[in-house]
Amino acid sequence: MADSSSSLPPLFEKISYKRYFLRAVDLTMLGLLFSLLLYRILHMSQNDNVWVLAFLCESFFTFIWLLVTCIKWTPAEYKPYPDRLDERVHELPSVDMFVTTADPVKEPPILVVNTVLSLLAVNYPANKLACYVSDDGCSPLTYFSLKEASNFAKIWVPFCKKYNVRVRAPFTYFLNPLDATEDSEFRRDWEMTKREYEKLSRKVADATGNLDNNDDFEDFSNTKPNDHSTIVKVVWDNKGGLGDENEVPHFVYVSREKRPNYFHHYKAGAMNFLVRVSGLMTNAPYMLNVDCDMYVNDADVVRQAMCIFLQKSKNSNHCAFVQYPQDFYDSNCEDLVVLQSYLGRGFAGIQGIMYSGSGCFHTRRVMYGLSVDDIEEDGNLSSVAARGFLDEESFARKFGSSEEIRKSVANALQRKANSQNILTNSVDEAKEVGHCQYESQTSWGKTIGWLYDSTAEDVNTSINIHSRGWTSSYIYPDQPVFLGCIPPGGPEAMVQQRRWGTGMLEILFNKQSPLIGIFSQKMKFRQRLSYIYVFTWGLRSIPELFYCLLPAYCLLHNSALFPKGICSGITVTLVGMHCLYTLWEFMRLGFSVHSWYASQSFWRIKPTCIWLFSVTDVIFKLLGVSKTVFIVTKKTFTETKSGNGDGPSCSADPNAGKFEFDDSVYFLPGTFIVLVNLAAIAGFSVGLQRLSHTYGGGGSTFVEACACILVVMLFLPFLKGLFEKGKFGIPLPTLYKAAFLAVLFVAFSVGK
């Protein structure tokens, strides 16, 4: 419970930023976009149909920039003061921590082990924590690794707390050599702990899938990743824990039942199973979920989040979740960091940041479907809501038939603790709520828990929470709180981006769409516009693809695309301002010009090469032709020092950062765009004098030629891929297909 005395300093501060100059820049660019549209309307009759297409593309870009301006208008973030927590809070609340993994090949067990160890060692009373790992791959190797990790945790957790270790993932911590000035006791403990971790790493590396001879692995015999019964194993039970520094929190391994004929809803289904199992065992009021590669980089992370939840104010009572930014210890994430810094803070200044799938603290009872109208000002459940949620008949329809789940949910809604703390007593009931049929005819995945019907389950759940009137908080610390590994540039990144783009677009057409419920839901209008911006990422593929081809078409066809004469300043100023603006955003965060250029390139590649297929995925789903699929992306793990010495690197390959290709269809549009624009530039160079004469001299087609050059520069990875070999070169089948399409395009453009 928190002390509500108003004389004490607050546990957190909401920081709102004044950005008058940047608002002026945003509005100036918006004005230039509208000026360009007006110019096109006034001169439409004097030009051919290509201007109509350009007008439609630029109208979409103007709409997107309007949404961006709306999001970034009032940026904010939350600054917690965890050092004030002890004097304000008499007893810290419990927290259940969830880790999800699905494939021991793509997500190496040693990676999962380090994430779990970093969670078990956070600066928080061990008797208030429980860590649950969901293994959708039902891998005995993963379970074996976690069992070994629990033994090492009895050494690692006390070591971290005794010496106040900052980074508590051992694979990161032991990268840096021991300081020669350290005292002998620390040196002795450090060397012993490192030896034990190296033993753990060797055991995990040497283990195979043939572990069935051990009785503890009997449940894994004759199992397949998509065909097995529910497995629930208490790896470590912190019985009678008092929260001292030598204790290790509860640790539970789960793998829900899967059968070939049942749709298991991917990560969202796994998260809902974790909610039910943890509700039966520990039923903590707050839940943290992290991806299996996202380790804790700041040991005070739980205390920071509790500052938001435990501050006694109306806004805090209405806070459904606390989101941290996602940071990565490889070199391919600058664009995401910039996106989170500016647009993330923009969301936070409206109704709250979106839930982004990892590094997020949730309120359990909000995930059970409560809206802000269901609680009183003091945070207690209202009498009307109590009757609606706790009625036995309606409960079974919402939460399922389990009597123990009913008791658990009732306790959570009324902010009560479970009566028993012996985890093994709940194993049988936990297995029951993991059956394939348990969620049938219930509200799980519809209005309760993580929502289904989208491969972007995080944002789908997020908009549902905000539509019920809840807010969310965004903590953006100076040092990353969570660090993960992002897929390398190339095929794996393409798969991940396609999944995100498809998932976002799915939500635009499902029941959570921000286009519906404008008057019935409790979401702020600007928050709704912000969600529309995110959900239309996939739709950007069509105008961006056309706009990358229009300059080449006009150059080949001898027609104008951009305003001429003095009005050409509109286009030049727009491009120049956008480049300088985005460059400033990158450099302000400490990134280089090269990072900015690579990011601008990838933001052109994503819509034209990846999100284009997200559109087709959603169209086929809406037509009932096929369903969207959640594909797990590969996480690489190499214990090598990063360039700045701050953490591990995802790859020790000297070619890390280079764009990789394979024979997938993702690389066909980009190759086609590059070949078409190169052909247009070559044609312009050969026929320069004739074309200039056609337009009345003065190099009037030079703007279109510059646009073609700009497109080629933005697709530089594909240009390099034309001359590279191996995985860094474009495969010949893709090149032949793109060349054939390019020849057709050139013939069509010249022959018109």
Side-chain angles (χ1 to χ4, degrees):
M1 297 295 292
D3 192 333
S4 59
S5 174
S6 59
S7 61
L8 295 174
L11 293 176
F12 73 89
E13 176 186 5
K14 182 178 180 179
I15 303 173
S16 300
Y17 296 95
K18 306 297 182 184
R19 53 186 304 276
Y20 299 116
F21 176 74
L22 295 181
R23 286 181 185 176
V25 174
D26 290 335
L27 292 176
T28 300
M29 293 184 64
L30 194 61
L32 288 170
L33 285 166
F34 278 116
S35 299
L36 181 59
L37 294 179
L38 179 61
Y39 183 90
R40 292 220 183 269
I41 293 173
L42 295 176
H43 296 80
M44 193 76 72
S45 59
Q46 304 170 19
N47 294 274
D48 57 17
N49 293 334
V50 73
W51 271 50
V52 177
L53 187 56
F55 174 79
L56 294 175
C57 294
E58 290 159 358
S59 297
F60 188 85
F61 300 151
T62 303
F63 173 67
I64 292 298
W65 190 256
L66 178 64
L67 296 180
V68 169
T69 303
C70 166
I71 296 172
K72 296 165 68 174
W73 197 256
T74 54
E77 65 177 281
Y78 289 78
K79 181 177 178 58
Y81 299 102
D83 55 308
R84 301 174 182 174
L85 201 58
D86 293 332
E87 63 183 76
R88 293 290 304 273
V89 179
H90 306 311
E91 184 177 359
L92 291 170
S94 299
V95 178
D96 290 335
M97 305 178 292
F98 302 154
V99 180
T100 53
T101 183
D103 188 328
V105 176
K106 293 185 177 181
E107 298 169 336
I110 191 63
L111 197 65
V112 184
V113 161
N114 274 274
T115 297
V116 169
L117 289 171
S118 71
L119 290 170
L120 295 176
V122 294
N123 279 339
Y124 205 76
N127 60 333
K128 297 291 184 180
L129 294 173
C131 182
Y132 296 83
V133 177
S134 169
D135 177 18
D136 259 7
C138 191
S139 168
L141 180 57
T142 299
Y143 176 60
F144 169 80
S145 303
L146 294 174
K147 278 195 65 178
E148 294 298 322
S150 71
N151 295 327
F152 174 71
K154 296 167 190 174
I155 301 172
W156 176 246
V157 172
F159 172 79
C160 289
K161 294 187 176 181
K162 179 179 180 180
Y163 296 107
N164 195 26
V165 173
R166 187 180 69 85
V167 178
R168 301 197 174 179
F171 83 124
T172 307
Y173 177 72
F174 289 120
L175 289 178
N176 298 315
L178 189 62
D179 193 334
T181 61
E182 298 289 353
D183 62 62
S184 58
E185 182 184 3
F186 174 76
R187 176 180 294 274
R188 185 171 56 252
D189 289 348
W190 186 92
E191 291 174 347
M192 183 273 292
T193 306
K194 184 179 181 182
R195 283 196 303 271
E196 292 300 320
Y197 175 68
E198 289 171 347
K199 289 180 184 177
L200 169 65
S201 298
R202 285 195 297 270
K203 283 184 179 180
V204 173
D206 295 341
T208 65
N210 301 318
L211 300 167
D212 298 340
N213 294 331
N214 191 318
D215 291 341
D216 198 26
F217 292 85
E218 184 178 352
D219 291 337
F220 294 94
S221 60
N222 300 318
T223 61
K224 297 179 181 179
N226 65 339
D227 190 5
H228 61 86
S229 300
T230 304
I231 300 175
V232 177
K233 290 186 174 291
V234 178
V235 182
W236 173 252
D237 191 349
N238 184 25
K239 297 178 181 178
L242 300 176
D244 64 47
E245 292 186 351
N246 292 321
E247 290 178 17
V248 175
H250 298 305
F251 186 15
V252 181
Y253 170 93
V254 301
S255 185
R256 60 197 169 119
E257 181 185 30
K258 283 188 180 180
R259 300 300 177 195
N261 297 328
Y262 285 88
F263 188 51
H264 55 84
H265 300 291
Y266 310 117
K267 182 181 176 181
M271 292 302 301
N272 285 335
F273 178 47
L274 284 170
V275 171
R276 295 194 293 273
V277 171
S278 63
L280 290 169
M281 291 186 170
T282 47
N283 207 27
Y286 302 105
M287 305 174 293
L288 164 66
N289 92 276
V290 296
D291 288 341
C292 66
D293 63 307
M294 192 73 64
Y295 70 85
V296 175
N297 194 54
D298 187 334
D300 284 328
V301 58
V302 181
R303 296 171 61 84
Q304 291 175 11
M306 291 305 108
C307 288
I308 307 294
F309 289 125
L310 299 180
Q311 176 68 44
K312 291 300 179 181
S313 67
K314 181 179 179 181
N315 289 339
S316 296
N317 284 336
H318 288 178
C319 180
F321 61 87
V322 175
Q323 177 69 58
Y324 286 87
Q326 294 190 24
D327 290 280
F328 303 90
Y329 47 76
D330 49 358
S331 58
N332 301 321
C333 58
E334 290 89 346
D335 58 330
L336 182 58
V337 173
V338 172
L339 196 69
Q340 292 178 129
S341 178
Y342 296 106
L343 293 183
R345 286 187 171 105
F347 266 95
I350 308 173
Q351 191 174 338
I353 185 69
M354 292 186 307
Y355 164 45
S356 58
S358 182
C360 186
F361 287 84
H362 297 273
T363 307
R364 183 180 290 272
R365 58 183 189 159
V366 172
M367 300 305 289
Y368 284 157
L370 285 184
S371 70
V372 291
D373 295 336
D374 295 326
I375 62 171
E376 305 288 355
E377 288 189 6
D378 60 0
N380 292 322
L381 193 66
S382 68
S383 56
V384 175
R387 288 194 298 271
F389 275 89
L390 303 181
D391 175 71
E392 290 191 20
E393 184 178 347
S394 63
F395 180 91
R397 292 197 304 268
K398 291 179 180 178
F399 295 94
S401 57
S402 170
E403 177 63 22
E404 293 302 317
I405 280 286
R406 189 190 71 80
K407 294 177 183 178
S408 166
V409 172
N411 286 337
L413 294 177
Q414 299 175 67
R415 302 198 291 189
K416 297 179 181 178
N418 282 4
S419 57
Q420 61 90 11
N421 291 316
I422 302 176
L423 303 190
T424 52
N425 293 348
S426 302
V427 169
D428 291 338
E429 192 68 29
K431 290 181 178 180
E432 179 184 326
V433 300
H435 290 167
C436 291
Q437 296 177 328
Y438 183 81
E439 293 183 353
S440 179
Q441 306 301 316
T442 69
S443 297
W444 287 103
K446 300 172 185 175
T447 58
I448 294 173
W450 272 252
L451 300 194
Y452 304 149
D453 198 31
S454 171
T455 55
E457 80 296 325
D458 47 5
V459 186
N460 197 27
T461 303
S462 176
I463 189 173
N464 176 264
I465 291 172
H466 283 135
S467 67
R468 286 184 264 138
W470 297 101
T471 63
S472 56
S473 300
Y474 189 45
I475 300 178
Y476 199 99
D478 295 332
Q479 295 295 325
V481 170
F482 294 98
L483 281 173
C485 183
I486 201 167
E492 290 293 332
M494 296 286 195
V495 170
Q496 186 181 64
Q497 289 292 335
R498 180 177 181 176
R499 188 183 74 213
W500 288 349
T502 301
M504 302 295 187
L505 197 53
E506 283 179 302
I507 303 171
L508 193 64
F509 297 100
N510 71 14
K511 295 179 181 179
Q512 308 303 324
S513 174
L515 301 176
I516 61 178
I518 295 177
F519 301 106
S520 60
Q521 296 175 346
K522 302 177 181 64
M523 186 160 49
K524 293 182 179 180
F525 181 69
R526 281 180 59 209
Q527 186 80 6
R528 193 176 298 276
L529 292 179
S530 302
Y531 274 113
I532 290 175
Y533 165 77
V534 175
F535 296 159
T536 53
W537 278 1
L539 295 180
R540 289 172 57 174
S541 59
I542 301 172
E544 292 232 15
L545 176 62
F546 278 117
Y547 216 72
C548 286
L549 296 174
L550 282 176
Y553 173 83
C554 291
L555 210 56
L556 293 167
H557 186 58
N558 296 347
S559 59
L561 176 61
F562 300 108
K564 301 300 178 184
I566 192 171
C567 292
S568 63
I570 298 175
T571 307
V572 175
T573 305
L574 255 177
V575 174
M577 283 189 67
H578 183 268
C579 289
L580 291 174
Y581 189 13
T582 53
L583 178 61
W584 173 83
E585 287 183 327
F586 270 75
M587 298 191 72
R588 183 172 177 267
L589 295 177
F591 295 124
S592 64
V593 176
H594 178 267
S595 297
W596 165 77
Y597 171 70
S599 176
Q600 297 304 303
S601 174
F602 195 49
W603 269 97
R604 302 287 74 77
I605 292 172
K606 280 192 289 189
T608 54
C609 299
I610 313 169
W611 294 343
L612 183 66
F613 297 100
S614 297
V615 175
T616 60
D617 288 341
V618 175
I619 290 175
F620 287 152
K621 177 184 176 181
L622 294 175
L623 294 176
V625 176
S626 63
K627 294 182 179 180
T628 54
V629 178
F630 188 106
I631 300 176
V632 178
T633 51
K634 185 177 182 179
K635 284 86 172 177
T636 54
F637 180 84
T638 305
E639 295 190 58
T640 58
K641 232 175 190 179
S642 63
N644 56 12
D646 291 336
S649 170
C650 273
S651 176
D653 190 344
N655 291 315
K658 293 184 68 174
F659 205 80
E660 298 178 10
F661 296 89
D662 65 8
D663 56 358
S664 65
V665 72
Y666 299 130
F667 302 102
L668 180 59
T671 309
F672 168 64
I673 289 171
V674 168
L675 292 179
V676 163
N677 280 275
L678 288 176
I681 294 169
F684 172 73
S685 301
V686 171
L688 180 61
Q689 292 182 346
R690 181 179 61 82
L691 295 176
S692 297
H693 177 74
T694 303
Y695 275 99
S700 57
T701 58
F702 185 69
V703 177
E704 283 77 15
C706 287
C708 289
I709 295 172
L710 179 60
V711 170
V712 173
M713 289 176 61
L714 289 172
F715 284 80
L716 185 61
F718 286 84
L719 181 63
K720 291 181 177 179
L722 295 175
F723 306 100
E724 294 275 3
K725 295 182 180 180
K727 64 180 181 180
F728 303 115
I730 299 173
L732 288 178
T734 301
L735 190 57
Y736 292 152
K737 294 173 187 176
F740 175 73
L741 293 175
V743 169
L744 293 180
F745 182 91
V746 171
F748 172 79
S749 303
V750 174
K752 286 284 285 184

